[in-house]
Amino acid sequence: MYDYYLGGKDNFPADRAAAEKVLEIVPHVPFMVRENRAFLGRAVRFLREQGITQFLDIGTGLPTQENVHQLAGEGAKVVYVDNDPQVLAHARALLQDSPHVRIIDGDLREPERLLADAGEHLDLSRARSPS
């Protein structure tokens, strides 16, 4: 539904039908979705300006427009995490030619496993604790 609200093409008939039902009750959802996506863009660009080049996106959902790997730009590594089989299959198909992107099956409720799997692509030794 998120992609549909953004005007994208990567959504399913069931998503579009459900999104239209939501719009009957909450017509300003597309505005909220665009604002959310704009915030993501500002956050990723700010982090890149600070020298951050690795991103872990947990609960990524179906890929849509202006995803983290697109916003982070060249040289950034991104790991997308989700536990929905349909999301994982779709994301892997869409992003298979992106060498700096990995899609992993993970769950926030299992942080040790999630970080271990993400650590196969990201250099977690570079992570810093706030001072």
Side-chain angles (χ1 to χ4, degrees):
M1 290 172 35
Y2 198 87
D3 181 72
Y4 177 73
Y5 290 134
L6 288 172
K9 62 176 180 46
D10 295 313
N11 50 71
F12 300 99
D15 298 325
R16 294 187 289 274
E20 288 299 324
K21 292 281 187 196
V22 170
L23 289 174
E24 292 172 11
I25 301 165
V26 189
H28 55 279
V29 167
F31 170 78
M32 295 182 328
V33 167
R34 286 190 305 273
E35 288 300 308
N36 180 270
R37 189 56 34 154
F39 171 77
L40 176 68
R42 290 190 305 274
V44 170
R45 283 189 292 279
F46 174 80
L47 292 170
R48 278 308 303 249
E49 290 167 6
Q50 307 311 305
I52 304 297
T53 59
Q54 301 185 118
F55 298 85
L56 179 60
D57 185 339
I58 302 170
T60 191
L62 287 171
T64 188
Q65 306 161 39
E66 298 184 23
N67 283 314
V68 173
H69 72 283
Q70 295 163 317
L71 296 165
E74 196 153 330
K77 289 184 174 184
V78 178
V79 172
Y80 291 115
V81 181
D82 210 297
N83 61 2
D84 180 323
Q86 188 172 17
V87 166
L88 294 168
H90 196 68
R92 287 179 178 131
L94 285 173
L95 301 172
Q96 66 183 340
D97 295 329
S98 301
H100 300 294
V101 176
R102 295 293 181 276
I103 315 300
I104 64 172
D105 181 357
D107 193 312
L108 184 59
R109 296 169 292 186
E110 298 175 354
E112 293 85 11
R113 192 189 104 188
L114 190 153
L115 289 173
D117 291 348
E120 293 178 14
H121 183 63
L122 302 177
D123 180 0
L124 299 181
S125 70
R126 292 178 50 205
R128 300 182 283 163
S129 297
S131 305

